[in-house]
């Protein structure tokens, strides 16, 4: 199967610029590039889809480049933004690039180019004369990215963003023989600007083409890759492997088949078999387990995957006491946390202190309805004391309300 046909059955392709050039690109195993924005020091799960696109093209014999925006990151891409981004200091952009380069190399194995290197030694006059003259202002005004911002206002810096990204493509086309730029569906305007520059510089018989990928959204239309607490990052200090595992495991049945197509290397038949087994017993979350296992293994490795499975099984069995100190903390990271300043609390006072309930009467109702567990022990009396002596690893206690709501108590 060709790479384009694979992207089609996975539902990834949003649009292409030229079918004939796409066929030539595929036949000649042309090189591609995808750009990554260094606005933070970690990529997130939404970016992971693009890393896999690079990986898929590489597996089909194409040379793949990842361009990090050391130049464009100083301005910020206005695509999809209602207001102008906060400008980052150059030192912060450079620091972010160092971090995301490692993530790109570890996952996609692409050749990385910093577009700041493209513009070294180029003055503002060189840019306006050699690049600015290639594109008419009326052409830019027709771009949706700029159209949608005209009423609310757009700075000249953001207005010029498409010119810089467009020239990135023209430079890569000439110097690295990159024939295709791939981006999210919101990058269509920037990609076509680059192709127009290449046409002006190298003639109508150029081989440049563009491909946009459907943005990864959930069934409710919102972007995939965000939890209630924020984005799901690839960097463990922001999102632990277990937090990512739980996020993936908790995806709804309505989204899981699409996610398997977008974010794994399972074949079409393998996904059909996974969904057939899943649909036979949806409560077992078989498809979600396959999704989580594949992604965690690819991003964090086999050892972290085994740890995630161990934590998940311990939580399901209510046996967190079997986990070591570090693993227990990882399991409960991200849950609401209360730092106890006393050695002993009544269960009602502790429920109020942890903000599990808003009043003592509500706490009594939960205890009397047998909905509160401390360290997996049912608390069925309102006068039961909860103290540091019973803490796990002499440091933690965890409270469970109902089946899934966990709260962490850290004792002094």
């Amino acid at each position: 199967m060709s790479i384009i046909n694979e992207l089609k059955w996975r539902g990834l392709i949003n649009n292409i610029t030229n079918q004939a050039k796409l066929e030539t690109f595929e036949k000649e195993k042309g090189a591609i590039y995808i750009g990554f924005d260094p606005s933070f020091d970690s990529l997130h799960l939404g970016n992971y889809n693009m890393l896999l696109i690079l990986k898929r093209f590489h597996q089909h014999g194409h040379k793949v480049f990842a361009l990090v925006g050391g130049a464009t990151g100083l301005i910020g891409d206005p695509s999809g933004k209602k207001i102008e981004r906060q400008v980052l200091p150059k030192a912060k952009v450079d620091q972010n690039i160092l971090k995301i380069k490692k993530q790109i190399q570890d996952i996609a194995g692409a050749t990385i180019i910093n577009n700041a290197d493209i513009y070294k030694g180029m003055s503002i006059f060189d840019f306006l004369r050699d690049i600015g003259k290639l594109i008419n202002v009326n052409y830019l005004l027709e771009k949706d990215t700029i159209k949608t911002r005209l009423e609310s206002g757009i700075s000249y810096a953001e207005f010029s963003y498409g010119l810089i990204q467009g020239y990135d493509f023209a430079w890569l086309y000439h110097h690295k023989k990159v024939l295709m730029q791939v981006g999210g569906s919101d990058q269509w305007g920037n990609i076509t600007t680059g192709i127009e520059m290449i046409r002006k510089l190298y003639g109508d018989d150029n081989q440049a083409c563009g491909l946009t990928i459907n943005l990864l959204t959930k069934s409710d239309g919102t972007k995939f890759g965000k939890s209630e607490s924020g984005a799901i990052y690839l960097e463990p200090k922001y999102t632990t492997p277990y937090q990512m595992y739980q996020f993936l495991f908790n995806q709804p049945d309505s989204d899981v088949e699409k996610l398997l197509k977008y974010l794994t290397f399972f074949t079409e038949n393998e996904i059909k078999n996974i969904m057939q087994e899943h649909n036979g017993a949806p409560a077992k979350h078989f498809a979600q387990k396959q999704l989580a296992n594949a992604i965690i293994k690819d991003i964090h490795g086999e050892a972290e995957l085994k740890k995630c499975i161990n934590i998940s099984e311990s939580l399901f069995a209510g046996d967190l006491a079997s986990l070591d100190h570090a693993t227990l903390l990882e399991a409960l990271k991200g849950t609401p946390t209360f730092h106890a300043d006393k050695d002993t609390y009544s269960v009602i006072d502790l429920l109020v202190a942890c903000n599990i309930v808003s009043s003592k009467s509500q706490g009594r109702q939960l205890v009397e309805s047998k909905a509160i567990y401390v360290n997996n022990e049912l608390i069925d009396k309102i006068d039961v004391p909860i103290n540091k002596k019973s803490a796990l690893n002499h440091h933690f206690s965890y409270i469970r309300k109902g089946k899934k709501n966990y709260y962490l108590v850290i004792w002094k």
Side-chain angles (χ1 to χ4, degrees):
M1 182 183 295
S2 71
I3 178 60
I4 300 302
N5 285 336
E6 179 182 345
L7 297 181
K8 283 180 179 177
W9 78 255
R10 290 186 182 276
L12 286 161
I13 293 180
N14 175 266
N15 210 345
I16 59 172
T17 58
N18 186 298
Q19 181 64 40
K21 291 183 179 181
L22 177 67
E23 291 171 1
T24 300
F25 158 84
E26 195 167 19
K27 181 180 178 181
E28 296 182 358
K29 298 292 184 184
I32 77 158
Y33 94 94
I34 296 176
F36 292 89
D37 179 15
S39 57
F40 194 62
D41 64 356
S42 175
L43 299 176
H44 52 71
L45 209 49
N47 302 130
Y48 180 65
N49 185 32
M50 287 302 181
L51 293 175
L52 293 190
I53 296 293
L54 288 173
K55 205 168 182 178
R56 295 185 203 282
F57 272 94
H58 181 69
Q59 288 181 347
H60 280 266
H62 296 265
K63 189 168 185 179
V64 297
F65 292 85
L67 183 136
V68 293
T72 43
L74 297 173
I75 299 171
D77 187 353
S79 302
K81 303 296 180 185
K82 294 181 180 179
I83 60 174
E84 189 161 357
R85 294 189 189 195
Q86 182 179 359
V87 175
L88 293 177
K90 185 178 183 303
K92 179 59 177 171
V93 172
D94 292 341
Q95 182 183 25
N96 292 347
I97 285 174
L98 289 176
K99 297 292 181 65
I100 67 172
K101 279 175 69 174
K102 185 177 187 309
Q103 293 175 342
I104 293 168
Q105 287 168 338
D106 289 347
I107 295 172
T111 300
I112 298 175
I113 293 176
N114 185 340
N115 68 357
D117 296 330
I118 296 174
Y119 300 96
K120 279 183 178 177
M122 181 184 292
S123 72
I124 182 65
F125 300 104
D126 293 333
F127 179 84
L128 292 173
R129 182 193 62 190
D130 298 335
I131 301 171
K133 278 188 172 291
L134 294 174
I135 300 296
N136 191 287
V137 168
N138 292 338
Y139 177 87
L140 294 175
L141 290 173
E142 289 300 313
K143 299 297 182 183
D144 287 340
T145 297
I146 293 174
K147 265 186 180 181
T148 56
R149 286 283 300 279
L150 287 178
E151 287 189 14
S152 61
I154 183 169
S155 68
Y156 182 74
E158 283 194 323
F159 183 80
S160 303
Y161 183 94
L163 292 178
I164 303 172
Q165 184 172 322
Y167 187 69
D168 288 345
F169 191 5
W171 188 92
L172 288 166
Y173 178 84
H174 179 69
H175 292 276
K176 301 295 180 181
K177 296 182 172 54
V178 172
L179 302 185
M180 178 189 283
Q181 181 182 358
V182 179
S185 56
D186 58 347
Q187 292 299 308
W188 179 257
N190 292 329
I191 291 173
T192 52
T193 297
I195 290 174
E196 177 64 7
M197 281 189 180
I198 292 169
R199 186 185 72 80
K200 292 279 187 69
L201 289 167
Y202 305 111
D204 291 338
D205 60 347
N206 71 83
Q207 293 302 312
C209 57
L211 174 71
T212 54
I213 300 297
N214 287 317
L215 296 178
L216 189 48
T217 56
K218 297 182 282 189
S219 53
D220 63 4
T222 59
K223 281 188 178 182
F224 173 80
K226 290 190 175 181
S227 67
E228 292 180 3
S229 57
I232 304 298
Y233 289 105
L234 307 190
E235 169 55 52
K237 74 177 180 181
Y238 298 121
T239 304
T240 68
Y242 179 69
Q243 286 176 303
M244 183 183 289
Y245 183 90
Q246 278 298 101
F247 174 81
L248 296 166
F249 182 81
N250 288 322
Q251 291 304 303
D253 289 348
S254 56
D255 291 337
V256 69
E257 183 174 2
K258 178 181 178 180
L259 293 173
L260 285 167
K261 290 178 178 179
Y262 275 49
L263 299 178
T264 76
F265 286 90
F266 290 124
T267 66
E268 192 170 7
N269 284 333
E270 286 172 335
I271 292 175
K272 285 179 181 177
N273 292 335
I274 288 170
M275 293 310 302
Q276 185 175 358
E277 183 167 345
H278 174 85
N279 292 332
K284 293 184 178 180
H285 293 85
F286 179 74
Q288 286 89 343
K289 287 179 183 176
Q290 300 307 307
L291 175 72
N293 289 355
I295 294 174
I296 296 298
K297 183 178 179 180
D298 189 46
I299 296 175
H300 295 296
E302 185 76 40
E304 287 296 336
L305 172 59
K306 289 179 179 178
K307 186 189 291 186
C308 290
I309 293 171
N310 181 35
I311 293 172
S312 184
E313 290 174 348
S314 296
L315 274 172
F316 182 78
D319 186 26
L320 285 188
S322 66
L323 301 176
D324 61 63
H325 180 102
T327 305
L328 175 62
L329 186 59
E330 181 174 343
L332 296 175
K333 184 177 179 181
T335 61
T337 301
F338 171 65
H339 293 266
D341 55 7
K342 298 191 297 186
D343 288 344
T344 302
Y345 290 79
S346 72
V347 64
I348 301 299
D349 287 342
L350 189 57
L351 292 177
V352 173
C354 293
N355 289 319
I356 298 172
V357 296
S358 57
S359 66
K360 290 186 177 183
S361 60
Q362 189 181 8
R364 289 190 190 95
Q365 290 174 0
L366 285 176
V367 172
E368 290 169 356
S369 63
K370 299 183 178 180
I372 296 297
Y373 293 78
V374 176
N375 299 340
N376 203 42
E377 291 186 12
L378 174 65
I379 306 298
D380 56 3
K381 295 179 181 179
I382 61 173
D383 57 351
V384 172
I386 309 298
N387 54 51
K388 184 176 180 180
K389 292 180 181 179
S390 61
L392 301 174
N393 295 313
H394 308 292
H395 192 53
F396 304 105
S397 293
Y398 69 95
I399 302 171
R400 175 162 58 89
K401 182 180 74 172
K403 292 183 177 180
K404 293 184 176 180
N405 298 302
Y406 285 90
Y407 302 83
L408 178 63
V409 178
I410 299 179
W411 301 91
K412 283 200 301 184

